[in-house]
Amino acid sequence: MSNTPSGPAFRRLDTTTRRQQLLATGAALFATQPYDEVWVDDVARTAGISRGLLYHYFGSKRGFLAAVVEQEAATLLAVTEPDDRLPPPQRLRAVLDAYLDYVRAHPHGYRALFRGALGADTAVRSIVDGNLARQQ
């Protein structure tokens, strides 16, 4: 059995597009399953890539989880950045609305962000802790 994908599901993508596709796939998988139940083979099959390509981009399964959590944390921070031009009550409302809009629009990413933080991985936990500290 070949480890190289082929056929209709496989297509070549540029590096940035492929990385984004893999991170979206990871967000969906880590949002619905605990880390230990997400298999690299499942990620590769879902994304239509070889296992080796996933390792090429992220180094390891833990590196992949950290990248997924880091991307979702950065996205959440970006969309909830307070607008200092607004008075405090409006600023708070805008941030809360942006937070809830993100959760509605990215349920897999949001769940992956916090589910990933529940694991024992200190790198992943530090990403989430840093995010929470910046939001205070």
Side-chain angles (χ1 to χ4, degrees):
M1 180 173 148
S2 170
N3 194 25
T4 304
S6 61
F10 179 74
R11 60 189 173 139
R12 293 204 179 277
L13 300 174
D14 66 80
T15 302
T16 301
T17 304
R18 177 65 74 193
R19 183 175 169 78
Q20 291 305 311
Q21 177 217 18
L22 293 172
L23 292 172
T25 299
L29 291 172
F30 289 123
T32 57
Q33 301 171 65
Y35 173 82
D36 292 337
E37 293 178 18
V38 174
W39 298 95
V40 171
D41 288 336
D42 294 336
V43 175
R45 186 173 26 262
T46 301
I49 63 162
S50 69
R51 292 173 40 152
L53 190 58
L54 186 74
Y55 288 117
H56 169 75
Y57 278 99
F58 303 103
S60 66
K61 182 177 154 186
R62 287 240 182 246
F64 181 50
L65 173 64
V68 168
V69 170
E70 187 171 37
Q71 170 153 315
E72 294 303 326
T75 301
L76 182 57
L77 275 178
V79 300
T80 59
E81 184 68 31
D83 182 350
D84 293 335
R85 299 171 296 180
L86 295 174
Q90 289 176 335
R91 186 180 323 147
L92 177 61
R93 182 171 183 84
V95 167
L96 290 174
D97 286 345
Y99 189 94
L100 294 174
D101 288 346
Y102 168 83
V103 172
R104 273 190 292 272
H106 302 94
H108 291 313
Y110 182 78
R111 282 193 301 269
L113 173 61
F114 289 101
R115 178 176 272 202
L118 297 176
D121 188 278
T122 55
V124 171
R125 184 72 226 171
S126 70
I127 294 167
V128 174
D129 288 346
N131 217 44
L132 292 173
R134 285 196 55 201
Q135 289 178 328
Q136 291 181 356

